[in-house]
Amino acid sequence: MRRKRQELPKEVCEEILRQGTSGVLALLGENDYPYAVPLSYVYCDGHLYFHSALRGHKVDAIRQCDKASFCVIDQDCVKPKEFTTYFRSVIAFGRISIVEDDTHKLQTLRLLAERYNPNDEEGFRHEVQKDFNHVLMMDFMIEKLSGKEAIELTRNRQTNE
């Protein structure tokens, strides 16, 4: 990272991933074109989990190349009078795979359900019974995590520490 003063500590990056609800997954797509797709996700123990249909461009891209990145924007506040933006974002780099094991698939589906619809075990069981064979889960193992924020936010954070 060029501007080291604006680099976010790993703990802050992980907290942003824990709190976020959507981001953009970037893959190597058809004919080596970049393919970026917005997705809901859940973060757990150094992994990001996503759900998907069984087929499609995203699935084809993952099967072709397992390298990926995922970006979450935590803050994006335009300050017109200052000609700047107060931003905070995280980018994860790593390897993504299709979850093939049904036990792991069920565990990752449960993580998503708890994230987006907590305390609804009955609803979760109903959805699993109905759609388990029609949903695909993806496991993104983070190898590198990088976060950056606007210098104004860095100053504020350092003042409050």
Side-chain angles (χ1 to χ4, degrees):
M1 180 173 299
R2 190 171 58 85
R3 295 188 175 175
K4 288 289 187 190
R5 292 185 317 164
Q6 292 172 257
E7 186 173 17
L8 294 173
K10 182 180 180 188
E11 315 80 63
V12 174
C13 292
E14 289 178 330
E15 186 58 29
I16 289 169
L17 290 179
R18 272 190 289 280
Q19 291 179 359
T21 58
S22 65
V24 177
L25 177 67
L27 304 164
L28 183 62
E30 191 175 330
N31 296 321
D32 294 337
Y33 279 97
Y35 177 66
V37 58
L39 294 173
S40 299
Y41 72 97
V42 65
Y43 172 72
C44 183
D45 298 328
H47 291 254
L48 298 162
Y49 299 104
F50 315 97
H51 74 289
S52 171
L54 298 175
R55 291 180 200 81
H57 192 70
K58 175 176 57 237
V59 175
D60 292 344
I62 290 168
R63 293 193 192 281
Q64 290 284 327
C65 179
D66 69 344
K67 291 181 181 178
S69 66
F70 187 71
C71 177
V72 174
I73 298 171
D74 179 57
Q75 186 170 338
D76 181 27
C77 182
V78 176
K79 299 291 186 175
K81 298 214 183 283
E82 298 177 43
F83 292 92
T84 193
T85 302
Y86 289 11
F87 68 90
R88 181 178 291 126
S89 63
V90 171
I91 301 176
F93 299 89
R95 306 282 177 154
I96 189 167
S97 61
I98 306 299
V99 175
E100 303 289 351
D101 176 72
D102 282 351
T103 302
H104 190 214
K105 179 178 172 180
L106 187 60
Q107 290 169 339
T108 58
L109 273 169
R110 182 174 296 284
L111 288 171
L112 271 174
E114 278 299 315
R115 176 71 176 102
Y116 293 96
N117 190 20
N119 306 315
D120 185 4
E121 183 62 27
E122 184 179 329
F124 173 71
R125 281 196 306 264
H126 175 74
E127 287 300 310
V128 165
Q129 185 178 20
K130 183 179 74 163
D131 290 329
F132 189 78
N133 293 323
H134 305 288
V135 69
L136 179 137
M137 291 300 296
M138 297 163 282
D139 180 346
F140 182 112
M141 185 181 71
I142 297 172
E143 295 176 341
K144 180 183 175 193
L145 194 55
S146 176
K148 186 177 175 183
E149 67 184 356
I151 193 67
E152 296 82 1
L153 296 177
T154 299
R155 289 184 193 127
N156 289 342
R157 192 169 41 81
Q158 290 171 346
T159 302
N160 294 331
E161 289 178 351

